[in-house]
Structures are given as structure tokens and as C-alpha cells.
């Protein structure tokens, strides 16, 4: 979508990269006090944390242990969240759990944490779940389908909802939690990437807080605590190192071997393609109000420095720690407090043992995902959700052996290119969900040429 600020052209003949030509910026307004905002683009919604984070004095809505709801309890984020709650049962309690179809694990979680409500999205498995809980004395209320997940999200006793459901399936439950006044421990990327234009005004209306659970966004969030207004200039997101010399030969097994983090299948492949990092740029834009010119990516192989901010006076602050998702998850649930953790399960960081930390620029020529994400972010509106959905479908096609590793980038580019004519700048929730579904269908419809390259059907 061309604007008076950025002319974005997308062409499969340009090696899968959106090219961006800078134009006049003389009518823009300051972003973080130094850079200018493009005058031709629609103004983004007010961010979750506009360059600073200040803990407000709000009365507690609970007594004793903090009540938590976990959406996606059987997934990677959900199980790690419950590990934290198990270690800190004097601080937290579970009031509701929601899962997709893993009945065995969900039943074990119900027996361990005794929630008041449990939801299983796959309605056909409800009898199996009831049978698994037949001998449980304190049986929870059981609900099914999307409505069941929504009811778990807005459970009246919950203070914070951990959103660990992957994809746009997590949007409606998150909206329900926001409307019910629950703070959000944000582990669902689509909440901001696809839903930002709709979700952020809703969050401000209901005066709820987004506490980012991604290690990179948690690092930025921690770095802006108490920052004076207008002090933030730049956000620097770190990414793990992946070799790109033999990208044509990368198999599914190769892409699932993350060098540092233990993650779910989809996010591990996103880390290999760097789509994960590009999507985090978009998420940082919505979370912290940063213009895209003020968000940068740097490769950091050790994954110890999780991200940094640069202030107006050029001083840089970063957050360091072991590569353990439980650390940012714990902070989302305890903020603004800090909870003591045993050195047995949370060993202290030993910089002397590490020896050195290294950094380098990402190779965007070999990994075009970064440029695709920046271009989609600048286009705004429904484009970012389309990009995210197309990527999710492309990863699925790759895992199922239907496309090659390099085809992931081509599928995403072609889908975004097709969407340009229908882009909605200020989408409703219905628009966001509609184009999420459209993007998945279009990405899946792309046919393979004889050279295994996706082409429009």
C-alpha cells in the first residue's frame, strides 16, 4: 500500500524481498523525540507502554495467593507457567485452565492444581476428560469449544490471564479477558501483531495491563521501568544465531534444532527463518510505541543479553539472564514485585564462566523475513495479521513436506502481495479474523511449480 512516506513494492522476481523507497518526511511528528513519523500513514493506536513503565497503585481484587488463569495450559508456555506456580504455590493459585486436545496432560494438571473451571476446545473429547477425572473429589466445572475457552479467560476470580494459545485462536479469549478487566500475561503474539489496532484501544478502555512474556519484550519492559517520559530513543532486539550458508538443504529436523532455547515446533522454525524476530519487531511497535525506524535487530549467539534500549543521551540498558522462558513468565505474573527464586532451580548468571558475548548484524539478503516484516509493519492495518497467518500456514506446509525451507519466504511474500488491494487500515475484530482465515486459505492454495517454488494458482 503506497503512502506519501513509503512506497512498498512486492515482486516475486526480487528474491522475495519487499523493497522500500524513502520519500518526503518533512511533515512528520517526532517519535521518541528524534526520528520522524511518516505523515502518510494512519496514526497507530496508543501503545501498551508508550516508552516507559510506571507501576500504578491499584487495589488488589483478591486475597492471599494471586489467582491465575492459564490459556493453552498443555502447550510450551502453559506447562512452563504451571511449573512456576508449582514452585511458588505460596504466591499463586490456578482458578481456570484451557487446553486444546491433550486430555491426558490436562487431566493431570487438573488433579495437581485443582482449578474451579477447565475448558477443552475439542468438544469431542469431553467424555474422555470426564472419565479421566472420575476419581477426583473436587471436580471442576467443565466447558467445551471456543466458548468454554472464553469463559475460562473471563473467570470472575482471575486477576491475571496467561495467554499461551498459538495464533488468532487466542484473540477472542484475550478480548473476553480484557473486557472482564483482567491483566494479560502476553504470550500470544497475534494479540499485538494481528490484533493491535483493535486490541490496544480496548485495553485502554478497560484499564488493563499487558505484561509481555517473550524474553525480548520482557527485557525491554524491564529496561523501561521508571524511565522518564520521552527518554527512550531506540529498541534493540536480540536474536539467536542460525547458520544460513546451506539454507536450500535445511530439513524439518534441522530447523527444529534450536541452539539455545527449548521451544514449541512452530516458534523454533520461526527462529530459524528469523520470522520470529521480524514479528517481534511488529509486536514491539505496538507494545512500546516505537517507530519502525527506532527498532533494530542484532544477532547475539549466546542468548544471554535478551534485548536493550537506548536512551536519548545515548546510554544503553540491557537485561541479561539465562535462556529460560520461566524468567519472563514469572515477571508477568508477579509485576511489579520481584519474587525470590531458589538457586537450585534458578542458578545465578556467571559472566566469568561465559567469557564473552558477541553480536553481529542479521544477513537480510539471505534471510528476507526481516524485510518482509518491516514492510508489513509499515503498511499496518490488516497486513501484519496476514503476514503472520501466511507464515503460520507456510510453516505447516514445510513441516508436512509440501514445500521447501526457502519456500516459506515465498509463500508469505505472495500472500502479502495479494492482500495489498484489500488492506484495512483500522480493522475491527471481525476484519482481523476474516483476513487471518483468508491468508491461510490463500497460502495453502499456492501451487508448486516444477522447481518446488510456490506460484499463484
Amino acid at each position: 500500500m503506497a503512502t506519501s512516506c513509503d512506497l512498498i513494492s512486492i515482486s516475486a522476481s526480487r528474491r522475495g524481498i519487499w523493497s522500500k523507497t524513502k520519500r518526503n518526511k518533512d511533515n512528520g511528528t517526532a517519535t521518541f523525540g528524534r526520528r520522524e513519523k511518516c505523515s502518510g500513514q494512519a496514526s497507530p493506536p496508543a501503545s501498551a507502554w508508550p516508552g516507559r513503565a510506571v507501576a500504578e497503585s491499584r487495589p488488589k481484587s483478591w486475597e492471599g495467593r494471586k489467582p491465575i488463569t492459564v490459556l493453552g495450559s498443555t502447550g510450551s508456555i502453559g506447562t512452563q507457567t504451571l511449573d512456576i506456580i508449582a514452585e511458588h504455590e505460596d504466591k499463586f493459585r490456578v482458578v481456570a485452565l484451557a487446553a486444546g486436545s491433550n486430555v491426558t496432560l490436562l487431566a493431570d494438571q487438573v488433579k495437581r492444581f485443582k482449578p474451579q473451571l477447565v475448558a477443552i476446545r475439542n468438544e469431542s473429547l469431553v467424555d474422555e476428560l470426564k472419565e479421566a477425572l472420575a476419581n477426583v473429589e473436587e471436580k471442576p466445572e467443565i466447558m467445551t469449544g471456543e466458548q468454554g475457552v472464553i469463559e475460562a479467560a473471563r473467570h470472575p476470580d482471575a486477576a491475571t490471564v496467561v495467554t499461551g494459545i498459538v495464533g488468532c485462536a487466542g484473540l477472542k479469549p484475550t478480548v473476553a479477558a480484557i473486557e472482564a478487566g483482567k491483566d494479560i500475561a502476553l504470550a500470544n503474539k497475534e494479540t499485538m501483531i494481528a490484533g493491535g489496532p483493535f486490541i490496544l484501544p480496548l485495553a485502554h478502555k478497560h484499564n488493563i495491563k499487558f505484561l509481555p512474556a517473550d524474553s525480548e519484550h520482557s527485557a525491554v519492559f524491564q529496561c523501561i521501568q521508571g524511565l522518564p517520559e520521552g527518554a527512550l530513543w531506540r529498541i534493540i532486539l536480540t536474536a539467536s544465531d542460525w547458520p544460513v550458508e546451506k539454507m536450500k538443504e535445511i530439513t524439518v529436523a534441522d530447523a527444529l534444532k534450536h541452539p539455545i532455547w527449548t521451544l514449541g515446533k512452530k516458534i523454533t522454525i520461526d527462529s530459524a527463518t528469523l520470522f520470529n524476530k521480524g514479528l517481534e519487531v511488529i509486536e514491539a511497535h505496538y507494545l512500546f510505541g516505537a517507530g519502525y525506524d527506532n527498532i533494530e535487530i542484532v544477532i547475539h549467539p549466546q542468548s544471554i543479553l535478551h534485548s536493550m534500549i537506548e536512551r536519548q543521551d545515548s546510554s544503553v540498558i540491557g537485561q541479561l539472564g539465562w535462556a529460560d522462558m520461566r524468567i519472563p513468565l514469572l515477571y508477568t505474573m508477579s509485576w511489579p514485585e520481584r519474587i525470590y527464586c531458589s538457586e537450585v532451580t534458578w542458578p545465578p548468571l556467571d559472566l566469568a564462566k561465559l567469557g564473552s558475548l558477541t553480536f553481529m548484524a542479521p544477513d537480510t539478503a539471505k534471510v528476507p523475513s526481516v524485510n518482509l516484516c518491516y514492510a508489513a509493519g509499515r503498511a499496518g492495518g490488516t497486513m501484519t495479521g496476514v503476514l503472520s497467518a501466511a507464515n503460520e500456514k507456510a510453516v505447516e506446509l514445510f513441516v508436512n513436506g509440501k514445500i521447501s525451507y526457502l519456500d516459506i519466504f515465498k509463500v508469505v511474500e505472495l500472500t502479502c502481495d495479494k492482500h495489498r488491494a484489500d488492506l484495512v487500515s483500522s480493522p475491527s475484530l471481525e476484519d482481523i479474523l476474516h483476513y487471518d482465515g483468508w491468508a491461510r486459505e490463500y497460502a495453502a492454495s499456492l501451487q508448486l511449480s516444477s522447481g518446488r517454488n510456490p506460484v499463484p494458482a
Side-chain angles (χ1 to χ4, degrees), residues 253-331:
D254 293 331
L256 290 174
K257 295 176 183 177
H258 196 288
I260 300 293
W261 295 91
T262 300
L263 304 164
K265 182 180 293 186
K266 195 264 181 182
I267 195 172
T268 303
I269 293 174
D270 280 352
S271 296
T273 61
L274 277 186
F275 264 113
N276 186 52
K277 203 55 49 181
L279 292 169
E280 285 176 2
V281 167
I282 298 169
E283 193 173 2
H285 167 73
Y286 283 119
L287 277 172
F288 306 112
Y292 287 100
D293 287 345
N294 297 81
I295 308 172
E296 298 182 13
I297 296 171
V298 63
I299 302 297
H300 170 49
Q302 295 82 15
S303 292
I304 293 297
L305 180 53
H306 297 299
S307 279
M308 297 162 276
I309 65 166
E310 183 173 357
R311 298 182 294 187
Q312 292 282 15
D313 59 5
S314 77
S315 64
V316 176
I317 301 174
Q319 186 265 326
L320 292 80
W322 294 118
D324 189 332
M325 273 300 299
R326 295 176 303 166
I327 298 172
L329 279 167
L330 175 61
Y331 194 52

Side-chain angles (χ1 to χ4, degrees), residues 6 9 30 58 67 95 169 187 192 319 366 400 430 432 447-448:
D6 294 289
S9 61
R58 294 193 291 174
V95 296
M192 290 296 161
Q319 186 265 326
K366 291 183 178 179
N400 292 334
E430 290 71 25
I432 292 165
Q447 297 177 352
L448 294 175

Side-chain angles (χ1 to χ4, degrees), residues 213-277:
D214 270 355
S215 61
E216 295 83 359
H217 299 111
S218 176
V220 173
F221 181 61
Q222 293 181 60
C223 290
I224 66 173
Q225 298 294 314
L227 207 62
E229 187 172 358
L232 181 62
W233 172 29
R234 187 165 59 119
I235 290 173
I236 306 166
L237 301 175
T238 57
S240 302
D241 183 30
W242 282 77
V244 295
E245 290 80 9
K246 299 180 180 180
M247 291 180 66
K248 291 182 179 180
E249 303 172 13
I250 291 179
T251 66
V252 174
D254 293 331
L256 290 174
K257 295 176 183 177
H258 196 288
I260 300 293
W261 295 91
T262 300
L263 304 164
K265 182 180 293 186
K266 195 264 181 182
I267 195 172
T268 303
I269 293 174
D270 280 352
S271 296
T273 61
L274 277 186
F275 264 113
N276 186 52
K277 203 55 49 181

Side-chain angles (χ1 to χ4, degrees), residues 18-83:
W18 295 9
S19 63
K20 181 171 69 70
T21 303
K22 288 289 184 181
R23 288 193 173 181
N24 55 355
K25 299 176 69 174
D26 49 344
N27 294 322
T29 57
T31 301
F32 288 168
R34 285 190 183 180
R35 305 291 178 88
E36 292 179 330
K37 180 178 127 181
C38 302
S39 58
Q41 293 174 316
S43 297
S47 61
W49 301 97
R52 62 199 297 257
V54 178
E56 299 175 359
S57 178
R58 294 193 291 174
K60 287 185 177 181
S61 60
W62 70 93
E63 293 184 2
R65 298 177 297 162
K66 189 173 186 178
I68 304 290
T69 284
V70 183
L71 305 181
S73 66
T74 59
S76 176
I77 293 295
T79 53
Q80 291 181 84
T81 299
L82 293 175
D83 285 345

